[in-house]
Structures are given as C-alpha cells and as structure tokens.
Amino acid sequence: MDKEQNNFYEEGSVNEQSGTRPSDLVVVSEILPEKIIVVPVQPRPIFPHITVPLTFTGQELVDALKTAYEKHNRYFGVVLVKEEDKQNYMRSRLYDVGVIMKIFKINHTSDDTIQVVAQGLQRFRKVRTLQTDPFIRWEVKPHYEKPEKHDEEQKSYTMAIMSSVKELFKLNPIMQEQLKMILNQVTYDQPEILMDSVASVLSAEPEKLQDLLETFDVYKRSEKLLLLLKEEIQLTEVQQKIKKQIEEKVSQQQKEYFLREQLKAIKKELGIEKDDKAAEIEKLEQKLKNLKLTEDASKVIREEMEKLQMLEPVSPEFHVTRNYLHTLTELPWGIYSKDSKDIKKARKILNEQHYGLDDVKKRILEFIGTIIKRESVAGSIICLVGPPGVGKTSVGQSIADAMDRKFFRFSLGGIRDEAEIKGHRRTYIGAMPGKIMQSLKNTGTANPVLMLDEIDKIGISFQGDPASALLEVLDPEQNYAFIDHYVDVGFDLSNVLFITTANQTDTIPRALLDRMEVINLSGYILEEKVEIAKRYLIPRQRERHRLKQKEVKISDAGLRAIIDSYAREAGVRNLENQIKKIMRKVALRQTEGESGPFSVTKKNLEEYLGKPIFTKEQLYHKNKPGVALGLAWTSMGGTTMYVEASYVRASSAGFRQTGQLGKVMEESSEIAYSYVRSILHKNEKQKDFFLKNFIHLHVPAGATPKDGPSAGITMAMSLYSLATNRSVREKVGMSGELTLTGKVLPVGGIKEKTIAARRVGVYELIFPAENKKDYEDLPDYIKQGITPHFVDYLSDVIKIAIKE
C-alpha cells in the first residue's frame, strides 16, 4: 500500500478539486453504519468535514475499498497507524478512534492501485474487531456532533481560534489559500467544522493531531487546538526569523562581493592595483629573476605559468598550480654560498667548540682539506657514529661553521614513509615536497651542510623503504639530478655536504653504509669530561639560570664525583643535566633568601644531587680459582666484569650459564667450555675433571642483560682456573673473542675498556694482537701506567694470567 496519502494541504485546494465546500456540507441525518471496513492511513489522521483525494496501493486495500463502495453504501473508516508492521501493513497496530468516510468518486487506475475522493463524516470509537482477513472490519460506535446553539464560552473559544488563524495567515504564506478559505466559509455557528478544518492544515506531530481527533468534548477540543495553534505560530516565527537572518547574511555577502569586484575593476582601470591572478604571476616572475634555472626547470616553470594564466582564481586547479610554482621558485636554483678555504680557521673553530676528540678533529680536518683542494664535495659523505651525548650534532654544526656554509638538521628516527624523503606526488591532496627539498628551501642555498640525524633508526613499512630513497640522495653518481616526487624536476645535490649520525652501524643497511665514511666518536674519559664541564657546560648553565660566577662554584673534586657517581655514560648530556640540577637548587636557595656564595664539593654533593646513581666497581680482595676479571663495553662506556665458575660433584658431566647472558655470549661460553675441556683432556691430572663434575658459570650482576663475544677469553680463563685449581693473577683485566681452536680474535671498545680498567686501578691488560693498533692510537694520558699484553691464542693468555 502507498502509505503516503495525497492530503489536500499538500496538493493545494482540494475543495475545488472535489467540488465540495465546508459551507455546503449537509448535516448527517442518516444513521451511520456500526460495522465498517477500516483502512489504515499514514502519516497523519484525517478529520471529519474534510473532503480529500486518497490513493491506495495493494490488492487487499483495493478489494476493501471496492467492497465498501459496492456493498457498504460507500462507507468506510480511516484510522491512523500507531505502530507499523513492516512485513504486512494491514497487520499494523492502529489507534481506536478514527473517522467514517463516504466515497464520492472512485477510480481504479491499475490492478493494485485505486484512487478515491471521500468526505469525512463523523468520529467513531472502536468497539471490537470483526475480521482481519481479507481486510479489516470493526464494530464501531459513531460520535454524532449535531448543530446546536453554543454558549458564550464556546463563542470566545471560536473567536480566539479565528484570531490565531489570522495571525498564522500573516506569518505563513504557504497556508494562505487554505486558511483564507476556512475564514471565509466557516461561521462562528460552526465551531466543530472550524476546528476540524483548522486541525487538518496544522503541521503538528501525528500523535498530537490524533489526540485532538480523540477529544469528543468540544470545549476540551477547543483548548487543545488553541495550544497547537500557539505552537504553530511560535514555530513559524522562529522559522521566519532564521530565514530572515540567512537572507540578510546572503544579501550582505552578495553586496560585499559586488562592491569588491567593482573596486577591483576601478583600481585596475586606474592602474592602482592588479587582480589576484596578475599579482600572483608578477610575484612569481620577480622570484625567477634571481634564479639560475636549469633547462628542464625553466621549461616546466614556463609551461606552468602559461597554465596559471588560463585558469580562473576560483578554480581548485589554480591553487594547485600556484602552490607548485611557489615551491619551484623558492628552491635555491643556482644559488651557492662561498666556501671558506682557510684550514687554520677550521682547526680553530673545531678546537674552540669541542674539547678532546683529537682523532675525530684530525679526520674532519683531513676531510675539509680534501674538499678545499679539489673545490668539490662530490662523494664526501660523513657518518658520525657514537653513543648519545658525545657531540655528534654539534660536530656537524662546527663543520658548517668552519666552511662558512648554512646548516640544517632533521631527524630520520622513526620515519617509515618514503614520501618523507622524496615527497608526495601532486595528485594527492595536501601533497608537499620531501625533507631534502624542504631543507634546501629553508637554507636558501644549493650547497648547505645537511645533517641526517639518527640514520640507524630509520624504519621500513608498507609505505615504502626510506633507506632505499636515501640511496639516491647520498649517491654522488645519482644525486646531481635528484628528482623529488612533488618537484618532479631534477635538482643538483652534488654540492650539498651530507653528514649523518648514528649510535651504531649494525642497523644501517649495508648499501647505505658503503656510501659513507664512518668516523667513530667513542666518548670522553673522566679528565675530558672535567674540562668540558669547566669550559662549556658550567658557564652555559650558569648563564641560563642567571647566576654569576662568584655566586656558585663547583670544585674539581666535586666535578669528578659527579662524573663518576652520577654521569658515567660516554657522552656529556647527563653530566649537563646534573649541572642543571645543581643550578636549580642554587636558584631556589637564593629565592628563599640565602645570599651565598654556594660552593659544591665532593662532601656536600649529595645535598644537591641526592644519593649516587653509580657505585664504584669493587675488585675482589682475594682471588680464588674460577674467578677472572673481564673488560666490557656498554652504552654508558667501559666497565669491569667478573666471570665466576664453580663445580659440583655429579655422576655425569654438565654445564650451565647464568647472569642474563645473550645468545652470542652463551655461544662464547660454550666455545670456552669445549676448548678448555679439549686442552685439559691431555693432562693426566685434570682430564677427568669435566667428566665427573657439573660446571656452573655465572656473570654478575645477574639482573643486567649482557651479550657479545668479547668475554670469550675471560670465561675460558675462569673455567681453566677452576679445573686446574690455580688462581688468575690479581688486577689483570682481559678482553677478546675466542674461537673453537683457541685463536683470540679482535674486539671493539678498546678505549672505553682501558678507561674502565684505570678507573678501578687495574693496570695490566690483555688484548687480542690485532687490537694493538687501536691501543697505540689512544692518547698518551690514557695509556700512562698501563702494561698491555697482546695475544694470539689462549695459551698466551694462560702464560700471562695464571699464577705459577
């Protein structure tokens, strides 16, 4: 069934269509039937005294109306749907009060569609259901409203209704025709007809209209209708107010638009001002005058400029083209800064800005000297590798200062999108160039120093491999015509000096690492940290905290205590943080009224920094078989590390390792175990030791994870000492990787391990023979007092380390 009914308030004056006017309605003199066919209607009820055209679709409804017309004297009832049944409309829940209708005209337009013109006669209330199939039939009780003289109260209600209708007529032009007809054709003596006629044109909710239909008492119905009229009037007033505000706003915008356009035309005619497009084009042309474009770039810009002239400013393509041209013209095509060729100046800047790092400075000066000699940086890519806080970024800045070049740094850490390097294609909304092009735009020169920080932390994802994108950037055979996806024109990067930084080289892709020259910054020893703090860190933090030199002083002994107990890492970042903490404490005490001066010494250091974070590594006071002292490298620098071994009598051999050892270190311990067993198998006294004992090897501290191969000879000496019952000599430290044949292989971190040994008073060290060159490169003040031994095989270690 077509649930929407073509009510007259939607179609215009149905009264004219039906030929029936309210004034022509006759008084119902006949007795209305009490058993009628009922038709559900939506979306609102139909009121008595109203003639309406209705269209119904559905075979059940067609049959019901034909039966009513032919067999029920053209009477049927209409009732509003209370709760619709989506599956079967005829089974929907209905209200109990409806209107008896009489068909004037019927038209069967198709097999399942019928149109009727019917007049509402009287209200009825349901008594009971007689049938539901094939259509609905109810027994009903009609409510007859007979014309009679009404008292003064009813006349007052009627006048109030007429007044509200007139007010609504003024506010709502859409209802003019219907409301005019009601006022002209209904008199004060017909309040029932008036109320039903007015109710039929209201836009109130269906539930409220149904409530009005169910109110049989004329006085109560008048009150409810007046309330609905007031709500309609208020709603119409709000709608009119909103409409007026919108119209005023639109009108104002149109007025301003026309005025602006007229003003532009006048200014253009007088030559005072150009329009937006002309101004944009002139601005772009002005930028182009200072650029030395390549042939390809010149061609692309010319084509885009011609395209921009043809586009209207309101076109989205205009903004895309304009932004693209702005990006192209902001790149430093052919703009170069003049390099400094004074190597003495470069050496002075490096020495002033960095203390220590002599080997690093030497390598960098060699690098700068080569660039000055051949007047080109092509193929010169530096990779500064070292732990956090050793000054990698500041070294890059110093290189830029030494060469008089602009410096720009951006971090690659966590980048997983290739477009971050090579830009987005212009087909995407919000497309922009990659970081390389943005860096050149920011520096304003085509030969800056670009620092790519944290290159070891670059990631791979479904969005591409940024490391692969960097291959083109850092390859001197390709980067002379680097193409960014957004710029889409080759740009020469061969004059850019690229400096990368990393904490370690293990995670850098090999193809990328091969393009770079690695310079290791291994960190600072205690003496270097003291000097750095005195020269740079303390003055800088004193200035930032607005403290004078005489107000706060940190003694040398206090500085050494800070470094040894609170900032033992390879760099100086944490050391500066501890100095910050001291300055904050001093500033607080000054604001609380203390005058100072404040002196920070080793004795009162805990007042400023609290309990020490690190404790001094303790050496064993008494050596015993099964204990060996190793040297290890950590991200905090070098450290000492004991290896302990013990045994338990058992029926069969066994071997266990503890101390949170990593996979590589576990394998090293197993190699040490196997090799020591193999060499002692030939010894008559010890050949049965490993067959009859369960061996337990432990590396303190147990809560600290450890890994790497450099503890191989230390673990082997611990097992050898245990099996032979001979102690390793006191204050002998060692480090080296052991193979299954007893060969000692080189290890890293020689500088840090030597510093760690000095810190605990160990001056006799055993290193692999291949690390001799690394040891000899160390500064003399680190090697002072140290007795090194360089070994090729474990047998050499045994001769040096085991007590006779």
Side-chain angles (χ1 to χ4, degrees):
M1 181 197 125
D2 186 356
K3 302 166 197 173
E4 299 292 332
Q5 56 191 20
N6 298 327
N7 294 337
F8 74 96
Y9 56 87
E10 295 173 343
E11 301 293 336
S13 178
V14 177
N15 303 64
E16 294 176 2
Q17 295 173 7
S18 64
T20 306
R21 298 176 301 171
S23 58
D24 296 333
L25 294 176
V26 295
V27 177
V28 181
S29 57
E30 57 200 277
I31 301 299
L32 297 176
E34 294 185 352
K35 295 179 181 179
I36 57 173
I37 293 171
V38 172
V39 177
V41 293
Q42 278 188 315
R44 53 185 289 144
I46 296 172
F47 284 87
H49 315 113
I50 306 299
T51 302
V52 292
L54 300 168
T55 300
F56 298 95
T57 300
Q59 194 58 49
E60 290 181 342
L61 289 167
V62 170
D63 293 343
L65 289 165
K66 286 175 68 177
T67 303
Y69 186 80
E70 295 170 359
K71 298 182 181 180
H72 292 268
N73 202 23
R74 298 187 292 173
Y75 291 113
F76 72 100
V78 290
V79 183
L80 181 67
V81 173
K82 188 173 186 179
E83 186 177 326
E84 183 183 357
D85 188 329
K86 300 291 184 182
Q87 303 298 323
N88 189 338
Y89 183 71
M90 295 298 286
R91 300 294 178 266
S92 300
R93 283 183 59 200
L94 308 178
Y95 285 95
D96 290 339
V97 175
V99 174
I100 297 177
M101 309 285 289
K102 187 165 187 177
I103 300 172
F104 286 161
K105 186 177 180 181
I106 190 166
N107 182 20
H108 199 179
T109 57
S110 65
D111 291 343
D112 63 345
T113 303
I114 194 168
Q115 293 179 341
V116 297
V117 177
Q119 180 187 3
L121 299 178
Q122 297 290 351
R123 291 168 170 77
F124 70 77
R125 187 181 297 278
K126 175 184 175 182
V127 176
R128 63 190 177 97
T129 301
L130 298 177
Q131 71 176 59
T132 57
D133 190 50
F135 37 75
I136 303 170
R137 285 184 71 241
W138 283 359
E139 180 181 340
V140 300
K141 181 180 181 181
H143 173 74
Y144 296 98
E145 292 180 338
K146 297 180 180 180
E148 59 183 25
K149 290 186 178 181
H150 298 281
D151 56 19
E152 292 300 321
E153 185 181 357
Q154 183 57 49
K155 286 183 180 180
S156 300
Y157 276 123
T158 304
M159 290 177 68
I161 292 170
M162 294 287 277
S163 176
S164 297
V165 169
K166 289 178 182 178
E167 187 177 349
L168 188 60
F169 163 71
K170 294 175 184 177
L171 293 171
N172 195 339
I174 297 173
M175 296 183 179
Q176 279 186 15
E177 294 300 322
Q178 292 91 337
L179 294 174
K180 269 185 183 180
M181 209 174 297
I182 291 169
L183 294 176
N184 292 336
Q185 297 175 355
V186 178
T187 66
Y188 290 96
D189 296 330
Q190 300 172 311
E192 298 87 352
I193 298 176
L194 173 66
M195 285 188 284
D196 288 337
S197 300
V198 171
S200 65
V201 301
L202 295 179
S203 60
E205 292 89 344
E207 293 78 9
K208 292 183 179 180
L209 295 175
Q210 179 66 25
D211 180 51
L212 198 64
L213 182 69
E214 292 178 359
T215 306
F216 293 158
D217 184 89
V218 178
Y219 295 103
K220 290 182 179 178
R221 195 188 309 166
S222 301
E223 291 177 359
K224 291 182 179 181
L225 180 60
L226 275 171
L227 286 173
L228 290 180
L229 278 168
K230 294 297 180 186
E231 289 179 5
E232 188 84 24
I233 290 168
Q234 289 175 357
L235 178 63
T236 305
E237 285 176 343
V238 172
Q239 290 174 339
Q240 292 296 325
K241 183 179 179 182
I242 294 170
K243 182 181 177 183
K244 185 177 178 182
Q245 289 174 348
I246 293 171
E247 287 176 350
E248 287 176 354
K249 187 175 181 180
V250 171
S251 177
Q252 182 65 25
Q253 289 175 345
Q254 289 177 338
K255 179 182 176 182
E256 289 176 0
Y257 173 77
F258 286 123
L259 287 173
R260 278 195 298 268
E261 291 301 313
Q262 288 174 358
L263 185 61
K264 283 181 185 177
I266 292 168
K267 286 185 176 181
K268 187 177 179 181
E269 192 68 25
L270 294 173
I272 299 173
E273 187 179 274
K274 299 176 178 64
D275 61 15
D276 291 344
K277 184 163 73 173
E280 285 288 347
I281 292 171
E282 185 177 331
K283 190 187 297 182
L284 291 168
E285 288 174 344
Q286 191 65 35
K287 288 181 180 179
L288 290 171
K289 290 179 181 179
N290 302 320
L291 303 176
K292 297 177 183 178
L293 298 170
T294 63
E295 186 178 341
D296 289 343
S298 180
K299 180 182 176 183
V300 169
I301 290 176
R302 187 170 60 253
E303 290 174 353
E304 292 295 322
M305 290 282 279
E306 291 172 0
K307 179 181 176 183
L308 189 70
Q309 288 175 338
M310 297 178 64
L311 293 169
E312 289 298 323
V314 294
S315 167
E317 188 67 21
F318 177 87
H319 299 286
V320 173
T321 305
R322 182 193 62 186
N323 292 341
Y324 178 53
L325 281 168
H326 273 298
T327 299
L328 284 177
T329 55
E330 286 170 357
L331 290 175
W333 300 94
I335 299 175
Y336 300 96
S337 60
K338 188 176 180 180
D339 285 348
S340 170
K341 296 183 179 180
D342 189 347
I343 195 69
K344 292 181 179 178
K345 175 187 172 184
R347 180 179 282 108
K348 182 181 178 183
I349 289 173
L350 286 170
N351 287 332
E352 285 178 350
Q353 296 183 357
H354 295 87
Y355 181 82
L357 300 177
D358 294 333
D359 52 341
V360 175
K361 291 177 187 175
K362 183 179 177 182
R363 292 277 302 276
I364 290 171
L365 286 171
E366 292 170 356
F367 206 82
I368 294 174
T370 304
I371 293 172
I372 292 172
K373 184 69 177 173
R374 68 182 184 183
E375 298 183 347
S376 171
V377 300
S380 303
I381 300 164
I382 302 172
C383 181
L384 302 173
V385 179
V390 295
K392 299 187 292 296
T393 304
S394 59
V395 166
Q397 177 70 67
S398 297
I399 294 172
D401 292 343
M403 298 181 67
D404 278 348
R405 289 195 175 198
K406 297 288 184 67
F407 177 78
F408 191 87
R409 169 195 166 274
F410 65 87
S411 177
L412 296 172
I415 287 181
R416 294 179 175 272
D417 188 354
E418 180 186 338
E420 292 281 346
I421 306 296
K422 298 195 69 175
H424 304 82
R425 300 195 182 277
R426 278 180 291 143
T427 51
Y428 298 112
I429 295 173
M432 59 193 302
K435 287 188 177 294
I436 302 297
M437 290 293 104
Q438 290 182 39
S439 302
L440 295 174
K441 177 181 167 184
N442 287 329
T443 59
T445 62
N447 64 334
V449 174
L450 292 188
M451 174 166 277
L452 314 182
D453 221 354
E454 310 288 0
I455 198 170
D456 57 325
K457 295 178 178 62
I458 203 165
I460 300 176
S461 74
F462 66 92
Q463 294 167 312
D465 182 4
S468 298
L470 281 174
L471 292 177
E472 182 184 354
V473 175
L474 300 179
D475 190 343
E477 300 299 324
Q478 301 180 56
N479 66 8
Y480 66 90
F482 172 72
I483 295 181
D484 180 276
H485 289 154
Y486 182 84
V487 175
D488 208 22
V489 181
F491 193 96
D492 186 5
L493 298 181
S494 62
N495 293 294
V496 177
L497 176 56
F498 290 100
I499 300 175
T500 65
T501 71
N503 296 132
Q504 55 188 7
T505 57
D506 300 350
T507 56
I508 303 175
R510 179 55 55 184
L512 201 55
L513 190 61
D514 289 344
R515 285 165 168 76
M516 302 182 288
E517 184 167 345
V518 176
I519 298 178
N520 287 295
L521 285 77
S522 55
Y524 303 102
I525 63 172
L526 186 142
E527 289 77 8
E528 289 175 330
K529 288 184 179 182
V530 169
E531 286 300 320
I532 291 169
K534 289 164 70 175
R535 295 187 186 194
Y536 306 106
L537 307 183
I538 294 175
R540 183 164 63 209
Q541 292 306 320
R542 192 188 287 127
E543 182 182 349
R544 289 181 180 176
H545 290 80
R546 299 291 188 270
L547 295 169
K548 296 177 182 178
Q549 185 174 355
K550 62 182 180 181
E551 291 177 329
V552 57
K553 182 180 179 182
I554 304 176
S555 69
D556 288 357
L559 264 178
R560 290 172 181 274
I562 294 171
I563 295 164
D564 195 44
S565 301
Y566 298 87
R568 199 179 283 177
E569 77 284 349
V572 293
R573 187 173 294 148
N574 196 34
L575 172 58
E576 187 167 15
N577 289 336
Q578 300 302 324
I579 293 170
K580 281 183 191 176
K581 193 182 292 185
I582 290 171
M583 298 301 173
R584 287 199 298 268
K585 293 272 187 182
V586 170
L588 175 62
R589 289 169 68 170
Q590 280 187 338
T591 55
E592 289 176 340
E594 293 187 44
S595 58
F598 300 91
S599 179
V600 181
T601 64
K602 185 177 180 180
K603 292 181 179 179
N604 66 359
L605 190 59
E606 288 190 19
E607 295 178 18
Y608 294 89
L609 299 180
K611 295 293 182 184
I613 299 172
F614 303 102
T615 56
K616 190 174 180 66
E617 295 128 296
Q618 296 292 329
L619 296 179
Y620 288 7
H621 297 297
K622 183 179 180 181
N623 276 13
K624 56 182 291 187
V627 178
L629 177 64
L631 303 174
W633 180 93
T634 71
S635 61
M636 307 288 285
T639 186
T640 55
M641 177 181 68
Y642 276 100
V643 177
E644 303 172 339
S646 65
Y647 69 94
V648 178
R649 290 285 179 186
S651 57
S652 60
F655 181 58
R656 182 186 180 194
Q657 315 97 320
T658 56
Q660 286 223 52
L661 308 186
K663 188 174 181 181
V664 175
M665 201 165 181
E666 276 190 6
E667 290 176 353
S668 294
S669 69
E670 289 167 0
I671 290 170
Y673 178 73
S674 298
Y675 182 71
V676 172
R677 282 191 67 175
S678 70
I679 62 175
L680 291 181
H681 182 68
K682 302 170 186 177
N683 190 306
E684 288 297 325
K685 292 182 179 179
Q686 286 89 27
K687 68 177 183 179
D688 294 332
F689 179 81
F690 290 102
L691 295 174
K692 297 180 179 179
N693 296 293
F694 182 88
I695 309 300
H696 186 172
L697 186 140
H698 177 66
V699 185
T704 305
K706 311 164 193 71
D707 204 2
S710 64
I713 63 172
T714 312
M715 291 188 285
M717 290 308 301
S718 172
L719 294 169
Y720 184 87
S721 168
L722 179 70
T724 59
N725 199 31
R726 297 160 67 191
S727 299
V728 176
R729 290 170 51 209
E730 291 181 22
K731 295 189 177 182
V732 174
M734 61 192 75
S735 179
E737 181 179 350
L738 181 67
T739 71
L740 204 54
T741 59
K743 175 73 175 172
V744 180
L745 298 182
V747 293
I750 298 299
K751 180 179 179 180
E752 290 83 357
K753 292 172 181 177
T754 305
I755 293 169
R758 289 183 65 91
R759 187 168 58 233
V760 295
V762 174
Y763 292 95
E764 193 169 356
L765 307 180
I766 301 173
F767 290 128
E770 291 183 44
N771 283 122
K772 185 175 182 179
K773 61 182 184 303
D774 300 313
Y775 180 82
E776 289 175 349
D777 288 340
L778 297 179
D780 291 337
Y781 59 82
I782 294 179
K783 297 186 290 185
Q784 186 177 5
I786 299 290
T787 303
H789 301 278
F790 301 99
V791 296
D792 284 311
Y793 290 91
L794 186 67
S795 56
D796 302 328
V797 181
I798 294 171
K799 291 175 184 177
I800 298 166
I802 294 294
K803 288 183 177 181
E804 293 297 334

